[in-house]
Amino acid sequence: MSKLIIPKIIGHRGACAYAPENTLASIHAAADLGVEWVEMDVKLTRDHIPIIFHDEELDRCTSGSGRVADTDFRDIRELDAGAWFGESFMGEKIPTLEEALNAVIDRGLGLNLEIKPCPGREVETAEIALDFATRIWPDDAPPPLVSSFSHVSLESAMDVMEEWPRGLLIDEYFEQWREIARHLDAHTVNIDGLKLVPEQLEDYLAFGKPVLAYTINDPAKALELFGLGIAGVFSDCPDVIREEIETTH
Ligand code: G3P
Ligand code: MG
């Protein structure tokens, strides 16, 4: 398995400023922009099919409503996941993990797969997602970075595929984060770049692993974070951040 090299800019939910988040259209939008990696969220339908979707509820990003964890895949498949974003995306579906992985692989992208379990489904979401992903992902490609806010999901990911690197997502700073990162053998620490406190950043950087920041759409903020030692940022508009980096170097 080749070594993981994390790019400075990762497309968030694909490139979700330009296409409906977490859809195949969003993966292709990112690839068309020349983005190297995308981040996508995976969770389970009621009947345990891994799909790419962020929210616990269907309402914001689809023509449907109700909880993902209460809805079977065949009903989820009927929903429109593009029209809310723009008329030209009408007919876009919520992709399965398998479809999304195939698109990522076909377009030669790297991947940060975020395990985003519905409450109470932390173990099974990681196990099923990793089981699919490890069967599909090419052996000769750099492995995906598997991240989660859920320590339980990361522990399960470690059990299923220890060799795939893990990213510990941290929403709010908490005292025991280092212990947990060590226990999970985290390869990266992924923090909220908009809530950053200088002393906390020092602490994160001192851990000695790449620190990634979400979700950075302001190019000036991205430059500031890179200057402070952040290794990479997640962005809805990765092209805007890249342009800023290119014009300032
Ligand atoms: O993985 C970075 C970022 O996606 C974490 O937050 O809510 O956008 O999944 P969220
Ligand atoms: Mg995410």
Side-chain angles (χ1 to χ4, degrees), residues 43-59:
K43 54 169 32 74
L44 301 179
T45 61
R46 193 189 73 84
D47 47 349
H48 296 98
I49 305 296
I51 56 166
I52 302 298
F53 202 70
H54 179 274
D55 296 359
E56 279 173 38
E57 310 272 341
L58 292 160
D59 303 55

Side-chain angles (χ1 to χ4, degrees), residues 103-141:
V104 165
I105 293 163
D106 285 351
R107 298 299 307 261
L109 293 164
L111 178 67
N112 171 204
L113 186 63
E114 181 186 340
I115 312 286
K116 187 75 104 183
C118 290
R121 309 185 98 190
E122 290 78 10
V123 172
E124 65 219 83
T125 304
E127 285 181 352
I128 293 172
L130 266 286
D131 181 50
F132 265 84
T134 50
R135 278 187 283 124
I136 294 170
W137 197 258
D139 282 340
D140 56 353

Side-chain angles (χ1 to χ4, degrees), residues 4-248:
L4 185 72
I5 299 169
I6 301 166
K8 284 188 100 161
I9 309 165
I10 299 173
H12 187 230
R13 307 180 194 173
C16 71
Y18 305 109
E21 63 182 59
N22 283 328
T23 62
L24 298 183
S26 195
I27 295 173
H28 290 298
D32 291 345
L33 292 170
V35 167
E36 291 169 76
W37 274 37
V38 288
E39 181 263 6
M40 311 215 90
D41 306 292
V42 63
K43 54 169 32 74
L44 301 179
T45 61
R46 193 189 73 84
D47 47 349
H48 296 98
I49 305 296
I51 56 166
I52 302 298
F53 202 70
H54 179 274
D55 296 359
E56 279 173 38
E57 310 272 341
L58 292 160
D59 303 55
R60 181 178 64 92
C61 293
T62 76
S63 54
S65 63
R67 285 153 41 100
V68 174
D70 293 340
T71 313
D72 281 336
F73 177 67
R74 64 170 193 192
D75 296 322
I76 283 194
R77 199 54 158 183
E78 295 296 311
L79 305 176
D80 188 301
W84 70 275
F85 188 87
E87 222 174 283
S88 59
F89 293 102
M90 200 178 279
E92 198 66 37
K93 299 290 180 194
I94 294 179
T96 61
L97 171 62
E98 189 170 359
E99 290 166 338
L101 288 174
N102 283 327
V104 165
I105 293 163
D106 285 351
R107 298 299 307 261
L109 293 164
L111 178 67
N112 171 204
L113 186 63
E114 181 186 340
I115 312 286
K116 187 75 104 183
C118 290
R121 309 185 98 190
E122 290 78 10
V123 172
E124 65 219 83
T125 304
E127 285 181 352
I128 293 172
L130 266 286
D131 181 50
F132 265 84
T134 50
R135 278 187 283 124
I136 294 170
W137 197 258
D139 282 340
D140 56 353
L145 175 67
V146 179
S147 64
S148 191
F149 289 106
S150 163
H151 309 156
V152 175
S153 288
L154 286 175
E155 197 154 38
S156 300
M158 184 158 71
D159 288 344
V160 176
M161 193 52 167
E162 195 178 357
E163 303 94 280
W164 280 15
R166 285 164 295 283
L168 175 63
L169 271 160
I170 299 176
D171 177 22
E172 297 281 351
Y173 185 91
F174 62 105
E175 285 306 322
Q176 307 77 11
W177 76 265
R178 208 178 293 93
E179 244 166 78
I180 290 174
R182 254 190 230 120
H183 170 69
L184 294 167
D185 191 17
H187 186 283
T188 65
V189 181
N190 305 1
I191 62 170
D192 185 337
L194 302 174
K195 286 187 195 159
L196 215 70
V197 175
E199 303 80 63
Q200 295 172 357
L201 179 60
E202 268 174 41
D203 216 20
Y204 291 132
L205 292 170
F207 188 60
K209 300 290 169 83
V211 179
L212 310 179
Y214 63 89
T215 303
I216 308 301
N217 296 329
D218 171 6
K221 184 76 188 170
L223 281 188
E224 181 196 330
L225 292 174
F226 290 137
L228 291 171
I230 293 282
V233 297
F234 298 90
S235 181
D236 301 338
C237 48
D239 56 324
V240 175
I241 308 291
R242 186 182 56 210
E243 207 170 297
E244 179 77 7
I245 295 178
E246 284 170 358
T247 52
T248 51

